[in-house]
Amino acid sequence: MNSYIKLLKTSKNFAIISLVQLICYFGAWFSHTGIFTLLIELKAPIWAITATAAIAFLPGIILAPFSGILIDKVRPKPVLILLILIECISVFMLIFINSLDFLWLLLSLVFIRMGVGGVFFQIEMSVLPKILSKNELRIANEIHSIIWALSYTAGMALAGIYIHFFGIKSAFLFDFFLYVFGFFVLLRLQLPNELKNIGNGLFAMLKEGFLYIKNKALILHLIILHGFVGITAYDALIALLADNEYKGILSTALLIGLTNTARAFGLIIGPSVLTKYIKLTNIHYFFYAHGIGIAIWAFLQYNFYLGFIGMFCAGFFTNTLWSYTYTLIQHNCDEKFYGRIIAYNDMVYMGVSAIISALIGFLYKNGISLFAITIFMAVLFFLGAFYYKFIYKNYKLD
């Protein structure tokens, strides 16, 4: 914990980036609860709920090849400011959705928000290796994962309570003002104005990026490895549990908010406990442990309150695996390709999450129990463990 505080104190730019991340992530999860609560209250069909969860990941797949080029080609600060303004507008537009007739608008706004948010994240993460040392970068990624989890915890928990008392539209307005505040914080960011790849064209840079991955197979393997963490796209599963298994226990907003809060406590506590134990020689054990944690949730989710323990276990190893596998990509990537590789990595990660989200709805609609679906997700992490053992045996990792 002391290393986290020291880095935030010594690097003003990183502190600003971290504060903006906290604001934006909190706002995103705050309105996220509102969106799924709204869908359930409007009696949206299962396909609409799972489609909303899945479409949140599509922008990262579609935009990645081009957003990576953008990141490697332009100054980061002006783009970050433009992106956060777009998020402000898209959040504000959510207040106008009051029936399923506007489902198209909801899906469009979710797509825009997640697309903009994804590029925002990619720019931030491509900036960090340029302003921090390798050791500081590992610490920064851990801080990022904790910020994500803290925002997730507070956003989901407080949103559930807030929506219960003040309503969904009020939550969207609150979220809008958070992003406005984040905009003014971002104006204080001071980054080098260097431009790279100015003379290279769009398709030349696109080809160069894919050739780099082709010629450096380790990067491709690490991107796929990181993609396994994307299996933890539980949003559709939690919404289905709230709408079917737990219906009537509490309000929908509280059911979703409290369930996600239990998971988020695991996300926060996990990194601070596990960071001193994880290393290149034992990452596969953490994949095994994550699979076991998800399996525990599967066996306990039949009961809403016991499910809290299961959700905690399902989230305990997530952030440690996320931050460590992400750091491996950054350490083993050449600086010239940071933007493109981070974007391609997000493309794979979001692709896995989108497939899992859509698959949850498809399997459930075709009679597969939520228990069986959760067990299937657990087994996938065991496959991730075997995949890492292959990488470690055949490649030299930095």
Side-chain angles (χ1 to χ4, degrees):
M1 185 61 70
N2 289 337
S3 59
Y4 299 161
I5 296 173
K6 181 181 178 181
L7 180 58
L8 289 169
K9 285 183 176 180
T10 55
S11 177
K12 180 182 177 181
N13 279 325
F14 177 67
I16 291 172
I17 289 173
S18 298
L19 179 56
V20 174
Q21 284 178 333
L22 179 63
I23 293 167
C24 291
Y25 286 158
F26 177 86
W29 292 119
F30 196 87
S31 58
H32 199 68
T33 301
I35 288 170
F36 282 99
T37 303
L38 176 64
L39 286 170
I40 292 174
E41 288 192 358
L42 294 176
K43 301 188 184 305
I46 291 175
W47 72 263
I49 294 174
T50 54
T52 303
I55 204 170
F57 303 108
L58 289 181
I61 303 170
I62 298 171
L63 300 176
F66 306 101
S67 62
I69 294 172
L70 174 72
I71 293 166
D72 283 336
K73 199 173 180 66
V74 302
R75 296 185 180 97
K77 183 176 177 178
V79 181
L80 288 173
I81 290 173
L82 175 62
L83 293 176
I84 200 169
L85 285 174
I86 295 174
E87 289 207 65
C88 288
I89 296 170
S90 62
V91 171
F92 184 76
M93 292 295 293
L94 288 171
I95 67 174
F96 299 106
I97 300 170
N98 54 17
S99 76
L100 289 178
D101 293 335
F102 292 100
L103 181 61
W104 64 270
L105 177 59
L106 176 64
L107 294 175
S108 299
L109 291 173
V110 170
F111 184 90
I112 292 171
R113 282 195 69 189
M114 297 308 295
V116 169
V119 177
F120 193 97
F121 163 78
Q122 291 163 12
I123 292 175
E124 288 179 323
M125 299 307 285
S126 66
V127 165
L128 294 185
K130 300 175 183 178
I131 63 175
L132 301 173
S133 68
K134 282 193 173 183
N135 185 55
E136 289 175 333
L137 183 60
R138 179 185 62 80
I139 297 170
N141 284 339
E142 290 177 2
I143 291 174
H144 173 85
S145 68
I146 293 173
I147 287 174
W148 186 92
L150 180 62
S151 304
Y152 192 94
T153 305
M156 289 290 190
L158 295 179
I161 297 170
Y162 187 97
I163 292 169
H164 181 74
F165 288 104
F166 301 106
I168 298 171
K169 286 189 178 182
S170 177
F172 291 151
L173 281 173
F174 179 80
D175 195 18
F176 166 72
F177 287 113
L178 275 177
Y179 276 99
V180 172
F181 176 65
F183 166 77
F184 286 106
V185 173
L186 189 61
L187 292 177
R188 301 180 60 193
L189 187 64
Q190 295 180 350
L191 296 175
N193 286 324
E194 60 174 324
L195 280 175
K196 295 184 177 181
N197 301 303
I198 297 177
N200 295 339
L202 174 68
F203 291 104
M205 290 184 67
L206 186 64
K207 180 181 179 181
E208 187 182 35
F210 282 117
L211 284 176
Y212 176 72
I213 293 177
K214 179 182 177 182
N215 295 328
K216 194 167 183 178
L218 173 60
I219 292 295
L220 177 59
H221 286 303
L222 292 177
I223 287 174
I224 295 172
L225 181 71
H226 184 73
F228 274 91
V229 188
I231 294 167
T232 57
Y234 303 139
D235 298 319
L237 186 56
I238 291 170
L240 290 173
L241 283 167
D243 195 28
N244 296 276
E245 304 296 326
Y246 305 150
K247 192 171 184 178
I249 298 176
L250 296 169
S251 70
T252 300
L254 287 176
L255 289 172
I256 295 175
L258 292 175
T259 301
N260 278 303
T261 300
R263 175 195 177 195
F265 274 119
L267 294 173
I268 292 174
I269 296 173
S272 59
V273 174
L274 301 173
T275 185
K276 58 185 176 183
Y277 299 111
I278 191 169
K279 49 189 176 182
L280 291 176
T281 56
N282 66 5
I283 295 177
H284 56 290
Y285 291 120
F286 286 77
F287 275 93
Y288 288 135
H290 203 320
I292 293 171
I294 296 174
I296 292 172
W297 179 37
F299 283 101
L300 296 179
Q301 67 186 200
Y302 72 92
N303 180 283
F304 175 62
Y305 298 102
L306 287 177
F308 290 164
I309 300 174
M311 273 264 71
F312 178 87
C313 295
F316 189 73
F317 293 91
T318 304
N319 272 351
T320 300
L321 280 175
W322 183 93
S323 59
Y324 205 91
T325 54
Y326 207 105
T327 304
L328 284 177
I329 294 171
Q330 292 169 317
H331 279 185
N332 290 277
C333 177
D334 295 325
E335 181 177 344
K336 178 182 178 181
F337 295 94
Y338 277 152
R340 278 164 285 181
I341 296 305
I342 286 175
Y344 300 153
N345 177 60
D346 272 14
M347 178 175 67
V348 173
Y349 185 92
M350 296 296 184
V352 171
S353 297
I355 291 170
I356 290 296
S357 296
L359 189 61
I360 288 170
F362 173 79
L363 293 175
Y364 186 70
K365 192 173 182 179
N366 285 275
I368 306 299
S369 69
L370 296 178
F371 167 81
I373 293 171
T374 311
I375 289 294
F376 169 70
M377 296 168 74
V379 170
L380 292 178
F381 271 92
F382 281 81
L383 295 178
F386 288 112
Y387 189 62
Y388 176 74
K389 290 173 71 175
F390 163 79
I391 296 173
Y392 184 73
K393 180 179 178 180
N394 292 279
Y395 295 92
K396 182 180 179 181
L397 295 171
D398 184 3

